[in-house]
Amino acid sequence: VLARGGMLRFYGGIEACLADQTLQDEKSVWGEDVFLRHCLRKLGVSKINDFNMLSEEACFKENPGKTGCFSGKVAFHPFKEWGSYMKCLGQAEQSNGKTTFI
């Protein structure tokens, strides 16, 4: 989850991150989430870790792809296919109003 200010800094500085060969290599190997985290650090965006906001198998042993997106968390990862993303979105929207999508 990114605050508006962090996203604006990313928008204004993404070219510097794309020009950084180390970040480019990481993006190729580790994907967009690692690239984004390291780019934001390069741009001086501070972070606050709140691991209770994310449902993800790799880090938290949750699998929203199998168990659904009903936890009330604000982010679910990974959903790389349109159909599975839309299914998750629908489930989250129906989960007693706990999750808000903006």
Side-chain angles (χ1 to χ4, degrees):
V1 177
L2 287 173
R4 182 179 181 86
M7 199 65 214
L8 289 171
R9 176 88 51 98
F10 177 69
Y11 178 76
I14 190 172
E15 294 301 324
C17 293
L18 292 172
D20 184 317
Q21 189 60 49
T22 300
L23 291 180
Q24 273 301 318
D25 293 344
E26 289 177 346
K27 183 178 180 219
S28 298
V29 174
W30 298 106
E32 77 286 349
D33 51 340
V34 172
F35 171 78
L36 177 63
R37 183 175 67 240
H38 292 178
C39 178
L40 291 172
R41 182 178 59 215
K42 177 182 180 73
L43 299 174
V45 176
S46 60
K47 69 176 182 173
I48 299 171
N49 290 324
D50 185 347
F51 298 111
N52 294 316
M53 297 176 76
L54 173 64
S55 179
E56 188 210 25
E57 183 178 20
C59 298
F60 306 110
K61 306 298 184 232
E62 297 175 5
N63 190 341
K66 290 183 180 176
T67 60
C69 300
F70 300 102
S71 67
K73 295 191 176 181
V74 300
F76 303 91
H77 187 263
F79 287 95
K80 298 185 184 283
E81 300 294 326
W82 180 255
S84 61
Y85 170 80
M86 293 305 293
K87 180 180 177 184
C88 178
L89 175 61
Q91 291 170 342
E93 288 177 329
Q94 294 174 5
S95 65
N96 297 322
K98 294 178 186 173
T99 304
T100 303
F101 288 86
I102 299 173

